[in-house]
Amino acid sequence: QVQLVESGGGLVQPGGSLRLSCAASGSNFRGYTMGWHRQLPGKQRDFVAQVTPSGSTNYADSVKGRFTISRDNAKNTVYLQMNSLKPEDTAVYYCRLTRNGSNYWGQGTQVTVSS
C-alpha cells in the first residue's frame, strides 16, 4: 500500500517562498512519476508539476519560472519549491504518485498566500 505524507504548507505573504515535501512509503520510489496538484474548495484538482523517473519535469503555465519540482530518491521524497508566491496560489496542495497507471494521493497541505 502506498502512503504519501505532505508537509511544508502554511501562511506566507505575497512574493514569499515555501517548500513542500512529500514522503512516500514503500520501495521502488525511483521508478515512479511524482507530481503535485492543487485544489480550491468546490473546484477541480489542477495539475501543478511533475517529475518522471528520468528527472524530466513539466509545469502548469501558471507556475512556470516560479515553482521547481525535484526528487530525492534516497529519501523517497519529492519537493515543490515555490517562489514569488501570489494570492492565486492559495490552495490545498496534493502530492501524487503514479504507479502502473494508477494514481495515489496524499492528504494535502494548505498553502495560503496573503498579506
Side-chain angles (χ1 to χ4, degrees):
Q1 183 71 12
V2 174
Q3 289 189 322
L4 302 170
V5 179
E6 299 106 332
S7 60
L11 172 64
V12 63
Q13 292 187 342
S17 298
L18 281 175
R19 188 176 82 154
L20 306 183
S21 300
C22 172
S25 65
S27 60
N28 199 32
F29 173 83
R30 64 181 63 248
Y32 304 139
T33 292
M34 301 296 299
W36 288 95
H37 295 243
R38 63 189 181 186
Q39 187 172 24
L40 286 169
K43 302 290 188 179
Q44 67 180 17
R45 192 170 295 183
D46 292 329
F47 170 79
V48 174
Q50 75 173 20
V51 57
T52 68
S54 67
S56 295
T57 59
N58 62 295
Y59 298 90
D61 287 344
S62 58
V63 307
K64 280 181 182 176
R66 301 188 298 123
F67 291 11
T68 302
I69 189 171
S70 61
R71 64 192 299 159
D72 185 337
N73 292 330
K75 295 182 178 180
N76 279 18
T77 300
V78 63
Y79 304 97
L80 186 68
Q81 177 67 44
M82 306 186 294
N83 298 329
S84 301
L85 282 161
K86 305 175 182 180
E88 52 264 43
D89 295 317
T90 295
V92 177
Y93 283 70
Y94 293 91
C95 175
R96 185 200 88 228
L97 181 152
T98 300
R99 183 177 74 178
N100 297 329
S102 296
N103 290 327
Y104 300 85
W105 300 92
Q107 82 288 353
T109 185
Q110 176 70 46
V111 171
T112 302
V113 185
S114 175
S115 55

